Amino acid sequence: MNLTHTQKRHILDHGFVKIPGVIPRAMIDDALRAINASIGEGIDPALLPTLRAQSYCPELKADPAITGLLMKTPAWGMLESVIGEGQVRTSGVGQIALRFPTRRDPAGQASPHIDGFYTPTNGVPKGTVRNFTALVGVLLSDLPEPNSGNFTVWPGTHHTHETYFRERGRGALDEGIPKIDLPEPTPITGKAGDIVIAHYLLSHGISPNQSSNIRYACFFRITHADHEQQRWESMTDPWLQWPGIRKLLPAD
């Protein structure tokens, strides 16, 4: 299944697109069953900062109930329609991302970032940047309202980051997460089974969860087959690894 022209255009202009109803209900239930069985065994409170930053239920990251959400559904063909047939690569694992309700008042707000820069809890070594091509989020629970632990994006910031890295050069990679001017954030609402495809360079974060429910989602980090040879170039030429989007650019 391919993305439509309108969906591709939304990625080009805004840096992301939400596609409703991609994941079958039976596969959502299999993933939720595995996750709930795991957390039912208990969570060590000392590990919570690392689990939030990396993945809950780490023993399930490569389980077919998780990886199948991407590799055995129409989501894979949608990625190929923009990144290239036969060119999509994954790390072979999914990030199980849970957000529990908070009773803090005020609850705070989403903090924007791009992935791959070192933090004390995310597992990225100091002095390195682990960038990639696309981030794919799979909603495993309904999110009808904002402030429910929503995946949140800052539309258009993929363009701002492109300019940032072009102007500063490779030295910018040693400066940490870029400090850029930000537009108003957009919290992603939707239903279980919806997916979001976002450009790597798009600022994103997680809103506080003031609902009464746990937010369930899985995230997958996608690279183009040539990414290792184009790791820096993809930061300053954002559509280098997106041939399905590059076709929409005006001719020189």
Side-chain angles (χ1 to χ4, degrees):
M1 183 180 295
N2 294 340
L3 292 180
T4 66
H5 175 84
T6 299
Q7 290 167 334
K8 292 177 181 179
R9 187 79 214 184
H10 204 275
I11 295 175
L12 175 64
D13 294 340
H14 303 286
F16 76 100
V17 67
K18 185 186 80 172
I19 308 105
V22 175
I23 312 300
R25 184 70 237 186
M27 297 183 73
I28 296 168
D29 290 341
D30 283 347
L32 290 174
R33 188 177 300 111
I35 293 168
N36 287 333
S38 176
I39 62 177
E41 296 296 318
I43 299 175
D44 183 350
L47 296 178
L48 283 173
T50 300
L51 297 176
R52 290 190 194 103
Q54 297 185 28
S55 179
Y56 284 87
C57 314
E59 79 282 5
L60 294 178
K61 292 192 298 182
D63 190 284
I66 300 302
T67 59
L69 295 168
L70 176 71
M71 302 178 71
K72 302 296 183 182
T73 69
W76 190 264
M78 292 175 179
L79 283 171
E80 287 196 318
S81 74
V82 287
I83 295 176
E85 186 174 355
Q87 302 303 305
V88 177
R89 301 288 185 271
T90 77
S91 62
V93 300
Q95 176 193 8
I96 297 165
L98 311 180
R99 289 297 179 265
F100 293 88
T102 180
R103 298 177 69 183
R104 291 193 298 270
D105 187 17
Q109 56 188 3
S111 178
H113 67 280
I114 57 174
D115 291 337
F117 288 80
Y118 164 81
T119 72
T121 57
N122 69 0
V124 177
K126 282 186 176 181
T128 64
V129 176
R130 292 182 176 173
N131 64 332
F132 46 89
T133 305
L135 181 66
V136 179
V138 177
L139 300 190
L140 296 177
S141 56
D142 292 348
L143 291 174
E145 298 178 348
N147 294 317
S148 302
N150 312 68
F151 179 67
T152 300
V153 298
W154 280 258
T157 49
H158 59 311
H159 298 308
T160 312
H161 280 122
E162 173 193 0
T163 301
Y164 179 96
F165 289 115
R166 280 182 182 272
E167 291 178 347
R168 285 166 174 76
R170 289 176 182 264
L173 299 179
D174 299 323
E175 299 172 3
I177 296 174
K179 306 295 191 298
I180 63 171
D181 293 331
L182 294 165
E184 286 298 309
T186 297
I188 303 297
T189 57
K191 295 184 177 182
D194 296 353
I195 72 168
V196 179
I197 298 175
H199 195 285
Y200 167 76
L201 289 173
L202 186 73
S203 291
H204 61 276
I206 303 296
S207 74
N209 187 355
Q210 296 178 288
S211 77
S212 57
N213 302 306
I214 301 170
R215 193 291 310 266
Y216 290 84
C218 284
F219 290 91
F220 300 90
R221 285 154 180 83
I222 305 301
T223 56
H224 187 277
D226 296 331
H227 181 72
E228 197 57 40
Q229 295 77 41
Q230 300 172 339
R231 192 173 287 275
W232 165 248
E233 287 76 10
S234 67
M235 303 285 271
T236 59
D237 183 358
W239 308 115
L240 176 65
Q241 299 175 351
W242 296 73
I245 303 295
R246 200 163 59 237
K247 293 177 182 177
L248 304 182
L249 297 174
D252 293 336

